[in-house]
Amino acid sequence: MKLWSKGFEPDKMIENFTVGRDRELDLQLARYDVEGSMAHIRMLESIGLLKREELDVLLEALADIAAVIERGEFTIEDGVEDVHSQVEFMLTARLGDIGKKIHSGRSRNDQVLVDLKLFMRDKLRDIASATGRLFDTLISLSDKHRDVLMPGYTHLQVAMPSSFGLWFGAYAESLADDMQMLLAAYNVANQNPLGSAAGYGSSFPLDREMTTRLLGFADLHYNVVAAQMSRGKTERAASMAIASIASTLGRLAMDVCMWMCQNFGFVTFPDELTTGSSIMPHKKNPDVFEIMRGKCNRLQSVPNEIALLTANLPLGYNRDLQLLKDIIFPAVSEIIECLDMATFMLPQMKVRADILDDPRYDYLFTVEEVNRLVLDGMPFREAYKKVGQEVQQGTYSPVKEVHHTHLGSISNPANDRISAKFHNILKNFEL
Ligand code: ARG
């Protein structure tokens, strides 16, 4: 059964190939499809294309469908192509000709566009709040472990003293940059495409500002062709933000795997948060952070997949666009899953407080020694040479104290300013 049925049924193989995963993925769009239809018919009534009584009957039927969706009982029947067809068939089955009226001045190209804008806007909000929860966790761990020193590395060689306070805070502030990308994606998503119909508008006097208001969009895609072209762009912007968060989280996961390795031994987790080996009885593995690292690395290829799918598409609607759903839907769930997992795991991480007592980290303090000599009046290059020679001759002995007080350093990590920066971006999502 097709909305576009003209007296013949397409070959089953063609149907399966073209419908793809829509019957399953479109379930996530169902509530937005109903929301879009409600706004559209209110607007149709306002321009005289529906009678008041028709509107009331349609709104009631759509509200019933919304309740079915809310209960998780909505399905797309075999032989029905997608969510837009399913909703229209349900309305027509119940209301007959009135149900058939809601498609005036619109097309499924229009419907899927508006559904996706509403869906992405919500999901970007979900990602923003999950990122916010991880951010707050990182900042409070940074405060808690502010004075616990750890080695800082460059080239993965022992470099200068660092701290768990700096480490947690660094990932928090990095998330603030990712939030800028997320906000950009949110602003792209928060525009109303409805009214572009098949992609070139309609001869009905559609009131597009009314649907923009009803759907709570911040702005419209004015040009109907641009509205169609925003399909793919919204997903691309979202995927870039997701990839940006994933790159932060993937690196954090790598650090944790490394710090858990016995050669470092900086952090541990309660046994029940680790995984074992089927042959080696002693193992407590960091599988959680390995899976997180793997997922986050894979998520960074999503913008590339979207770029390839949409590269050189001719303007207007093309069915290729349907495949965007297969790429972006799982990416959205996966980044939220990783963010939530990090928020769950990190507060349970035990950090070792005496790492720097180990003599292998003695050279972390050579710069401190050089700086001390500089403060006593020796030119920097001479002080550098003196300490370098002591190291060379094996006579260097560290004073294990740090005096880092400038903004953003060990004793002054500026977490309050980092928090203000992050929450200033977060508030734009109107959570
Ligand atoms: N399932 C389709 C999609 O996601 C809906 C739009 C179908 N439009 C069409 N002209 N075949 O793109």
Side-chain angles (χ1 to χ4, degrees):
M1 195 168 34
K2 305 279 169 299
L3 289 173
W4 42 271
S5 185
K6 298 185 254 313
F8 66 90
E9 280 299 307
D11 186 284
K12 201 76 199 141
M13 243 174 107
I14 302 300
E15 151 131 22
N16 290 341
F17 190 72
T18 53
V19 169
R21 293 183 63 197
D22 260 14
R23 275 189 206 113
E24 163 205 345
L25 295 177
D26 272 14
L27 294 179
Q28 296 190 59
L29 296 181
R31 53 182 285 221
Y32 304 108
D33 203 71
V34 170
E35 201 181 331
S37 289
M38 284 177 160
H40 182 70
I41 58 174
R42 282 202 164 97
M43 185 276 292
L44 286 184
E45 190 267 341
S46 79
I47 60 169
L49 283 176
L50 277 179
K51 295 195 195 78
R52 181 74 225 192
E53 315 77 72
E54 292 173 329
L55 173 65
D56 290 344
V57 173
L58 281 165
L59 284 175
E60 199 188 318
L62 282 167
D64 288 347
I65 297 175
V68 173
I69 296 166
E70 203 56 44
R71 291 199 298 273
E73 289 164 8
F74 180 87
T75 52
I76 299 173
E77 291 158 47
D78 266 358
V80 175
E81 277 187 299
D82 50 33
V83 66
H84 329 293
S85 314
Q86 180 68 38
V87 171
E88 195 172 322
F89 282 131
M90 286 166 86
L91 285 178
T92 320
R94 175 164 157 180
L95 304 173
D97 281 352
I98 302 178
K100 294 180 188 160
K101 286 192 170 183
I102 75 163
H103 210 58
S104 307
R106 102 186 152 152
S107 138
R108 281 183 302 159
N109 299 351
D110 211 11
Q111 279 180 275
V112 68
L113 258 185
V114 79
D115 293 4
L116 284 167
K117 288 282 193 186
L118 293 168
F119 169 84
M120 290 308 304
R121 192 175 64 171
D122 263 8
K123 292 297 170 187
L124 288 165
R125 278 194 184 126
D126 290 347
I127 297 172
S129 42
T131 309
R133 288 192 295 274
L134 177 58
F135 176 88
D136 291 341
T137 303
L138 287 168
I139 288 291
S140 79
L141 289 169
S142 171
D143 289 340
K144 177 171 168 195
H145 299 300
R146 196 184 86 152
D147 300 320
V148 183
L149 295 181
M150 75 188 304
Y153 297 87
T154 66
H155 310 266
L156 210 48
Q157 302 283 308
V158 165
M160 282 179 68
S162 182
S163 66
F164 279 97
L166 279 187
W167 183 77
F168 283 113
Y171 283 102
E173 189 166 4
S174 216
L175 287 176
D177 288 340
D178 303 331
M179 281 306 267
Q180 298 277 21
M181 309 272 289
L182 202 66
L183 182 58
Y186 181 73
N187 289 333
V188 172
N190 200 6
Q191 301 177 86
N192 185 18
L194 194 60
S196 91
Y200 298 92
S202 160
S203 53
F204 295 127
L206 306 176
D207 183 349
R208 300 189 62 213
E209 281 174 322
M210 178 175 174
T211 55
T212 303
R213 255 189 335 271
L214 288 174
L215 294 168
F217 282 112
D219 206 345
L220 314 80
H221 284 295
Y222 295 94
N223 180 308
V224 286
V225 182
Q228 275 298 324
M229 284 168 70
S230 78
R231 189 152 183 210
K233 263 222 161 138
T234 315
E235 290 86 342
R236 187 200 282 249
S239 73
M240 284 163 81
I242 290 171
S244 192
I245 298 169
S247 114
T248 305
L249 210 45
R251 292 184 72 178
L252 180 150
M254 172 60 196
D255 286 352
V256 174
C257 290
M258 195 161 67
W259 303 155
M260 271 178 85
C261 162
Q262 288 77 4
N263 295 59
F264 290 87
F266 296 171
V267 304
T268 50
F269 282 89
D271 289 352
E272 64 277 15
L273 302 187
T274 61
T275 45
S277 150
S278 60
I279 178 171
M280 297 167 282
H282 63 281
K283 289 289 247 166
K284 287 174 187 163
N285 289 328
D287 292 28
V288 168
F289 288 95
E290 292 170 308
I291 296 284
M292 192 184 295
R293 182 175 60 194
K295 280 180 186 268
C296 286
N297 287 343
R298 236 177 41 185
L299 283 170
Q300 290 176 73
S301 73
V302 173
N304 201 32
E305 272 186 79
I306 291 179
L308 291 176
L309 178 63
T310 55
N312 304 332
L313 279 186
L315 88 172
Y317 177 83
N318 301 279
R319 191 73 180 263
D320 318 42
L321 296 171
Q322 177 174 298
L323 299 175
L324 284 165
K325 291 184 279 196
D326 301 37
I327 303 173
I328 196 72
F329 284 23
V332 164
S333 319
E334 207 140 87
I335 194 67
I336 293 175
E337 200 188 3
C338 289
L339 286 162
D340 288 348
M341 188 49 89
T343 306
F344 171 72
M345 292 293 282
L346 291 174
Q348 308 192 63
M349 187 170 91
K350 291 194 192 62
V351 310
R352 228 180 78 202
D354 61 353
I355 300 170
L356 299 198
D357 290 351
D358 189 322
R360 83 180 68 205
Y361 303 119
D362 282 359
Y363 294 144
L364 288 173
F365 296 91
T366 58
V367 181
E368 297 289 315
E369 185 56 29
V370 171
N371 290 357
R372 218 180 336 271
L373 293 171
V374 168
L375 287 176
D376 288 346
M378 194 183 284
F380 176 82
R381 215 20 94 202
E382 242 171 74
Y384 172 93
K385 203 163 175 188
K386 180 175 181 308
V387 176
Q389 274 163 356
E390 284 174 19
V391 168
Q392 216 39 41
Q393 289 152 10
T395 58
Y396 167 78
S397 122
V399 179
K400 297 192 172 184
E401 281 169 20
V402 288
H403 303 282
H404 294 196
T405 55
H406 68 74
L407 197 58
S409 65
I410 296 174
S411 313
N412 184 10
N415 285 349
D416 48 346
R417 297 209 195 179
I418 294 171
S419 264
K421 173 157 73 167
F422 183 91
H423 284 279
N424 222 8
I425 308 167
L426 187 64
K427 70 171 192 269
N428 293 294
F429 289 87
E430 293 159 19
L431 295 172

